[in-house]
Amino acid sequence: MEFSHFRGKRPPRFVNTAERELAELLDGAGLPWEYEPHTFPLAHDEDGRLLEAVTPDFYLPDAGLYIECTEMRPQLAHRKRRKLRKLRALYGEVVTLVGRREFQQLREKYGQASGSRNAHALGSSGNGAGPILDTTNSRSSSSTSEPADGGGPSRSTSA
């Protein structure tokens, strides 16, 4: 599938089907998006080597909003939520976490089959209406720190 609203420099290489599914949802909604454009360092050792970082899955440039998606069991998402809290504390960036339950709600609302692993282009099934997503920017405006630019897709150093 070619994405018409993708704003990155290189075609996205999704790590899992949940990321592709969310990309299709964003694209179908007509929202400009980037895939993993920034990596935020969270911890360094005494020699300055990076110990921990987080790279949110999506960035909506028009809204200034980061989105992280996961379909891992909620009990296993603790480490991811901890990293997102640390990101907010260090950089003032709020990342919206879309988990299993939210994915199921999106599938139901926008016409995808329950638990679908083969995401379809929006508008090809379901109610025929394109999604309307709230992209209100809820970032803290008190941060002046800039994120480290990953220079393209990058993965965090720990899950």
Side-chain angles (χ1 to χ4, degrees), residues 11-142:
R13 295 180 63 191
F14 302 108
V15 174
N16 57 55
T17 56
E19 291 177 354
R20 172 173 285 285
E21 199 170 345
L22 187 55
E24 291 177 1
L25 179 68
L26 294 170
D27 216 67
L31 296 171
W33 57 276
E34 298 174 22
Y35 180 70
E36 295 187 332
H38 303 118
T39 296
F40 296 90
L42 299 177
H44 294 86
D45 68 10
E46 56 277 350
D47 295 327
R49 288 183 302 222
L50 184 64
L51 295 176
E52 183 179 40
V54 64
T55 304
D57 297 320
F58 295 92
Y59 180 66
L60 307 183
D62 290 354
L65 178 72
Y66 287 96
I67 300 173
E68 176 71 20
C69 65
T70 184
E71 285 202 287
M72 67 176 53
R73 292 192 332 242
Q75 308 90 295
L76 300 178
H78 173 73
R79 181 182 286 168
K80 188 170 286 210
R81 286 190 305 272
R82 183 195 60 76
K83 288 174 81 171
L84 296 179
R85 284 191 303 270
K86 196 169 184 179
L87 171 66
R88 183 178 188 171
L90 291 172
Y91 296 95
E93 297 289 350
V94 177
V95 178
T96 300
L97 182 62
V98 177
R100 271 186 176 182
R101 183 177 53 214
E102 293 84 8
F103 260 114
Q104 185 57 36
Q105 291 169 341
L106 290 170
R107 288 181 189 114
E108 290 169 3
K109 186 169 185 174
Y110 299 113
Q112 296 204 10
S114 177
S116 170
R117 290 293 183 257
N118 298 316
H120 302 287
L122 295 171
S124 64
S125 64
N127 62 14
I132 298 172
L133 301 174
D134 180 9
T135 59
T136 305
N137 182 353
S138 59
R139 287 192 317 184
S140 167
S141 60
S142 62

